[in-house]
Amino acid sequence: MTTREQIVQLFRNRPGEYVSGQELSRELHISRAAIWKQIEQLRELGYEIEAQRARGYRLLESPDLLLPADLTSDLSSQLVGQQIHCVASTSSTNQLAQQMATEGVSEGLVVLAEEQTAGRGRMGRRWESPAGVNVYGSILLKPQIPPYQAPQLTFLSAVATAEVLTDLYAINARVKWPNDILVGGRKIAGLLNELSAETEQIHSLVLGIGINVNMLAEQFPDDLRYPATSVRIETGRSQPRVALVRQLLQRIDFLYAEFLEQGFAPLRRRWEALFDLLDRQVEVDLGNRKISGVIGGLEADGALRLFLPDGQVERIVAGDVRPIGQKR
Ligand code: BT5
């Protein structure tokens, strides 16, 4: 934690109370003049801090910055977010989390950035990551499961994101196979899970989550593959990111524990409940050919089960799925 974050943490531990300059200086082992300088810097960042000569400092208002001290206060999770690393800017939080994993960081690490300069989508695509408005985060997991089961965990971040968006903002977030989160057919979040494993053992699984929170329509480029939206566009007002991230981490923590205890079944049920195309007639574009059939849900390895007209079952591992006809 930086000195600034430690100061914020001290304020957070005593909500609404004055903390004297003397106490801050004693706790942080720096001079009172240095404390004053730090307070000034916090004010520049948008913290509203009252100073009273006889009583000390009091935190009145915090800006919507993603800082570990803010995120961990009131965070009720066992594993996810026990360590949070926040940076102003990085190429990609997934890349940073992977790098930290090779340096031996524990499972549950969360990496967050205010901005990504090379945000990654799938298959070499780009994720638009302007500064200060959205959530760009990566969660490091090291599950003790055989690598072939790892794809099951890729549905965890989708379920967590869609459930939390729906709970917090009363917007109807739905999942699109394999891994998009849509509201009214518009993409509000994208997920990129990256696995590092050998045949027998998983080294790390990084769950990358990008959520459009306060992004405005004019901030989206024109050439997106799907129409896009943000929480702000859907709810009509800007939303604090700290509460969203806290809920998200708690949700992932819960779902991960549930997965480790009970396996894929509960997660699969949750995902299927968020999926509009279950039991629907669809057409799947496989790149070289198109097939149609009825979606029968998720297979244990994350493939989509498709019932073909001749009664055969086809497993879809990659492709574009589009509904045709009415729900049966
Ligand atoms: C994804 O890829 O949807 C995965 C995005 C994952 C982003 C997170 S942010 C934190 C972590 N660190 C990273 O570096 N990445 C993860 P894909 O399905 O390939 O979608 C990418 C496509 O979505 C692009 O080609 C654009 O057309 C479109 N797109 C790009 N940025 C967008 C945005 N902010 N909102 C909506 N659509 C976007």
Side-chain angles (χ1 to χ4, degrees), residues 29 60 66 79 81 84 86 88 92 133-134 154 160 168 190 212 216 231 233 241 245 276-277 318-319:
H29 311 290
L60 299 176
L66 296 175
L79 178 77
I84 302 184
C86 297
S92 149
V133 285
N134 294 336
T154 65
L168 277 182
N212 300 331
L216 294 166
V231 175
I233 294 170
R241 293 174 301 163
V245 172
D276 287 328
L277 299 183

Side-chain angles (χ1 to χ4, degrees), residues 91-95 111 116 118-130 134-138 179-180 187-192 194 207-212 215 220-221 223-229:
S91 52
S92 149
T93 55
N94 270 27
Q95 196 181 342
V111 175
Q116 296 185 120
R120 298 179 188 163
R122 280 167 289 174
M123 294 179 270
R125 292 191 285 254
R126 218 185 120 76
W127 188 252
E128 295 298 323
S129 312
N134 294 336
V135 169
Y136 316 112
S138 298
N179 242 345
D180 291 336
K187 186 155 166 172
I188 197 162
L191 310 157
L192 177 68
E194 294 182 290
L207 306 181
I209 306 178
I211 308 177
N212 300 331
M215 204 166 173
F220 291 107
D223 58 349
L224 294 180
R225 292 173 77 224
Y226 302 104
T229 190

Side-chain angles (χ1 to χ4, degrees), residues 125-168:
R125 292 191 285 254
R126 218 185 120 76
W127 188 252
E128 295 298 323
S129 312
V133 285
N134 294 336
V135 169
Y136 316 112
S138 298
I139 293 122
L140 173 68
L141 300 178
K142 298 182 177 176
Q144 303 286 309
I145 55 170
Y148 73 85
Q149 284 179 1
Q152 299 176 352
L153 276 171
T154 65
F155 295 96
L156 196 151
S157 42
V159 168
T161 305
E163 287 185 350
V164 165
L165 288 177
T166 304
D167 285 357
L168 277 182

Side-chain angles (χ1 to χ4, degrees), residues 72-124:
T72 49
S73 76
D74 290 337
L75 182 74
S76 63
S77 76
Q78 298 302 311
L79 178 77
V80 174
Q82 290 309 300
Q83 189 182 344
I84 302 184
H85 183 64
C86 297
V87 295
S89 178
T90 187
S91 52
S92 149
T93 55
N94 270 27
Q95 196 181 342
L96 187 50
Q98 283 167 329
Q99 186 190 321
M100 291 177 78
T102 62
E103 290 160 5
V105 175
S106 309
E107 174 174 59
L109 165 81
V110 173
V111 175
L112 292 159
E114 290 287 342
E115 168 194 54
Q116 296 185 120
T117 53
R120 298 179 188 163
R122 280 167 289 174
M123 294 179 270

Side-chain angles (χ1 to χ4, degrees), residues 4 36-47:
R4 270 209 307 269
W36 172 248
K37 239 165 114 183
Q38 294 284 340
I39 296 279
E40 281 299 290
Q41 285 176 8
L42 281 168
R43 284 176 169 158
E44 274 164 30
L45 286 171
Y47 287 86

Side-chain angles (χ1 to χ4, degrees), residues 186-205:
R186 292 171 176 270
K187 186 155 166 172
I188 197 162
L191 310 157
L192 177 68
N193 303 306
E194 294 182 290
L195 178 70
S196 149
E198 288 167 37
T199 335
E200 302 285 316
Q201 195 199 352
I202 292 178
H203 295 305
S204 67
L205 175 66

